[in-house]
Amino acid sequence: MELRYETRDGKGNDFVKMVKIKEYPTENVEFDCPICKKSNSQGVKAKKIISSNFTDYAYIGDYICPECTKLFSLYFYNYIVDPDGIRLINVRQLKDELCKRQNPPFRFIITTSQKKHLFYKSEVDYSSDRFAVNLETEVIYTTPERMTELFEFVENLVTLGASKKAMQNGEISFAVLQKTGLKALEYLQTELKKSREIQIPLYCGQKLEKTEEDCLCSLDLLLSQPREAKRH
């Protein structure tokens, strides 16, 4: 089995990579899969999937269903698991997926290290009105509306020259604040204190193809609205 992954090469050229999913021999065994919780009569012995360095046995049990074993091949990728299967998502596509309604039940996994299995610590979402996102090992609850707002804030600032790393520390450069005013800094620091949601666009937000004037207009509209009225 292979999954489609849209990515870019070192020169910025788009191309499609087919990601191979490992398959494992199954055994006849009656069990409830510790990942999806479904009853199964065929399972894969966990020890055939994981390495000797694996330590999270408490999450996976002795057997895993064949469908859930596919997720062990995806530690390098961001992805959504829903009734239609597995969708691999590159960092530039995350915004669109986070800002729209998903098809429940689903899991939403974002990896920042590309080194860890994250799915068995993630939550299954039964509604896309408010849902859990795994940002690496942290579970963050959000809504499409909040994601739309926070991406708008972060990406407009990035386009104006702000650093996402600095914003993670509650800082915006003086050069950018000269353009936006102090309301941008107040907004950022309030979000960092009251919400973990902003960490998502601070990881995967992108520079926009917009003029400085358009970015400032978008920020002015966002920052001029009462915060409580906008919080979901």
Side-chain angles (χ1 to χ4, degrees), residues 140-200:
I140 298 175
Y141 295 92
T142 191
T143 69
E145 293 79 15
R146 284 281 288 155
M147 284 291 95
T148 299
E149 174 187 335
L150 293 172
F151 269 97
E152 180 180 3
F153 174 74
V154 169
E155 291 189 331
N156 277 292
L157 280 173
V158 168
T159 307
L160 290 170
S163 160
K164 287 190 289 185
K165 184 175 181 179
M167 284 193 281
Q168 287 176 337
N169 295 323
E171 302 169 357
I172 299 174
S173 69
F174 179 70
V176 174
L177 288 178
Q178 280 185 306
K179 303 172 185 177
T180 64
L182 287 176
K183 281 188 176 181
L185 184 60
E186 293 169 358
Y187 181 105
L188 172 65
Q189 292 179 347
T190 297
E191 283 295 337
L192 289 171
K193 289 177 182 177
K194 294 186 177 181
S195 166
R196 294 294 295 170
E197 293 165 275
I198 198 170
Q199 298 299 328
I200 297 173

Side-chain angles (χ1 to χ4, degrees), residues 83-205:
D84 296 324
I86 304 168
R87 284 182 287 133
L88 302 184
I89 309 165
N90 68 47
V91 70
R92 296 173 302 281
Q93 296 170 327
L94 282 170
K95 175 185 175 181
D96 287 342
E97 295 294 341
L98 288 158
C99 294
K100 73 179 185 183
R101 294 286 191 279
Q102 297 295 329
N103 180 24
F106 65 95
R107 297 177 190 263
F108 205 125
I109 312 293
I110 300 174
T111 177
T112 60
S113 70
Q114 291 81 44
K115 295 179 180 179
K116 299 177 182 178
H117 294 300
L118 305 174
F119 65 91
Y120 50 77
K121 295 182 180 179
S122 68
E123 293 192 16
V124 178
D125 293 303
Y126 294 96
S127 170
S128 61
D129 294 333
R130 183 175 184 270
F131 58 95
V133 176
N134 256 67
L135 182 64
E136 196 67 10
T137 57
E138 181 181 9
V139 178
I140 298 175
Y141 295 92
T142 191
T143 69
E145 293 79 15
R146 284 281 288 155
M147 284 291 95
T148 299
E149 174 187 335
L150 293 172
F151 269 97
E152 180 180 3
F153 174 74
V154 169
E155 291 189 331
N156 277 292
L157 280 173
V158 168
T159 307
L160 290 170
S163 160
K164 287 190 289 185
K165 184 175 181 179
M167 284 193 281
Q168 287 176 337
N169 295 323
E171 302 169 357
I172 299 174
S173 69
F174 179 70
V176 174
L177 288 178
Q178 280 185 306
K179 303 172 185 177
T180 64
L182 287 176
K183 281 188 176 181
L185 184 60
E186 293 169 358
Y187 181 105
L188 172 65
Q189 292 179 347
T190 297
E191 283 295 337
L192 289 171
K193 289 177 182 177
K194 294 186 177 181
S195 166
R196 294 294 295 170
E197 293 165 275
I198 198 170
Q199 298 299 328
I200 297 173
L202 284 176
Y203 166 68
C204 59

Side-chain angles (χ1 to χ4, degrees), residues 3-32:
L3 295 176
R4 178 186 175 91
Y5 181 60
E6 298 176 8
T7 187
R8 288 178 180 171
D9 61 21
K11 296 181 179 180
N13 300 311
D14 294 326
F15 72 99
V16 174
K17 174 183 177 181
M18 300 307 295
V19 178
K20 186 174 179 59
I21 304 301
K22 293 181 181 179
E23 297 183 11
Y24 302 90
T26 61
E27 299 179 15
N28 294 323
V29 58
E30 298 290 336
F31 74 108
D32 291 338

Side-chain angles (χ1 to χ4, degrees), residues 22-35 40-52 54 57 60-70 72 119:
K22 293 181 181 179
E23 297 183 11
Y24 302 90
T26 61
E27 299 179 15
N28 294 323
V29 58
E30 298 290 336
F31 74 108
D32 291 338
C33 178
I35 310 302
N40 290 268
S41 58
Q42 291 280 316
V44 177
K45 186 168 286 188
K47 289 184 178 180
K48 292 184 177 179
I49 306 171
I50 56 180
S51 72
S52 58
F54 189 83
Y57 282 103
I60 64 170
D62 295 327
Y63 287 90
I64 300 165
C65 77
E67 281 300 305
C68 288
T69 61
K70 297 174 183 177
F72 278 94
F119 65 91

